[in-house]
Amino acid sequence: MAIRVTKHIQPLFPVRFKRTVRLRNGREMVIRRMRSGDVEIVTELEHICFKDAWTDKHFRREVENGVVSVPIVAEINGEIVGYIVPWFIEDEIHIVNVAVSPLHRRQSIAKHLIGLVLQEGQKQGSVYAYLEVRISNFAAIHLYQKFGFSEAGIQKKYYQDEEDALVMEKYLFQKLNLEQI
């Protein structure tokens, strides 16, 4: 299946993109583009977070894509503690992977990663955002609902262990206020 791309997100997330944010606990976090040198660490984190983890080959493909895929990492004191892999296709954002280290959860890391992707995509002209989440992942579902995502359907046996995925969607019609999430 070929993906038709009619616009390009690169100007908003250049290779040297870097943003510093302050977390709930007062620590600083750096958000930047994922680089090929990050793939090994990101893959390790992926295997800690997920039963049906992506391989390093998946992440390398995302880093090298550069047109549709814009993978981003979050660092605290130089340590990668989370990441997000969004695809920007025509007027849609598809969040295909997001994870935060179990040692760093509940510090607003995922909130900042998702918020950044939605805000920057909205600036670029994205109108819709989509994602899939395990139906048993109540914490993630709750976070996505805080962002205004709603249930769009169920993908039966979506994951390798045959668990269903909840498909969620968001219409990007209003400005996001991360303070309210």
Side-chain angles (χ1 to χ4, degrees), residues 7-15 17 33 66-67 69-70 124:
K7 62 183 177 175
H8 203 270
I9 198 72
Q10 287 293 87
L12 292 176
F13 292 106
V15 174
F17 170 82
R33 287 283 299 264
V67 175
S69 180
V70 185
Q124 187 73 6

Side-chain angles (χ1 to χ4, degrees), residues 56-70:
D56 61 337
K57 191 175 185 179
H58 288 106
F59 286 107
R60 283 194 202 293
R61 185 177 57 231
E62 298 300 321
V63 169
E64 293 166 3
N65 179 323
V67 175
V68 172
S69 180
V70 185

Side-chain angles (χ1 to χ4, degrees), residues 119-157:
Q119 287 174 337
E120 297 298 327
Q122 197 173 30
K123 286 179 193 174
Q124 187 73 6
S126 295
V127 179
Y128 299 97
Y130 298 94
L131 57 85
E132 293 83 23
V133 60
R134 285 181 176 271
I135 58 169
S136 63
N137 192 343
F138 302 115
I141 292 168
H142 181 69
L143 175 63
Y144 302 141
Q145 288 171 334
K146 283 180 160 184
F147 273 100
F149 280 88
S150 59
E151 297 180 17
I154 301 285
Q155 284 283 104
K156 295 287 186 187
K157 299 180 181 181

Side-chain angles (χ1 to χ4, degrees), residues 1-39:
M1 179 176 103
I3 296 176
R4 194 181 74 148
V5 179
T6 58
K7 62 183 177 175
H8 203 270
I9 198 72
Q10 287 293 87
L12 292 176
F13 292 106
V15 174
R16 297 194 188 281
F17 170 82
K18 183 176 172 181
R19 183 170 297 166
T20 302
V21 296
R22 189 158 306 278
L23 297 174
R24 189 180 293 165
N25 62 9
R27 295 173 76 185
E28 282 192 351
M29 177 177 72
V30 173
I31 300 173
R32 63 170 176 77
R33 287 283 299 264
M34 187 184 297
R35 301 184 289 253
S36 58
D38 300 325
V39 168

Side-chain angles (χ1 to χ4, degrees), residues 147-180:
F147 273 100
F149 280 88
S150 59
E151 297 180 17
I154 301 285
Q155 284 283 104
K156 295 287 186 187
K157 299 180 181 181
Y158 182 79
Y159 294 98
Q160 288 177 355
D161 62 2
E162 298 192 352
E163 182 174 355
D164 296 344
L166 176 62
V167 179
M168 301 187 80
E169 65 183 353
K170 176 177 177 53
Y171 179 59
L172 301 171
F173 61 92
Q174 62 189 32
K175 187 175 179 182
L176 290 171
N177 182 352
L178 289 181
E179 300 304 318
Q180 295 176 337

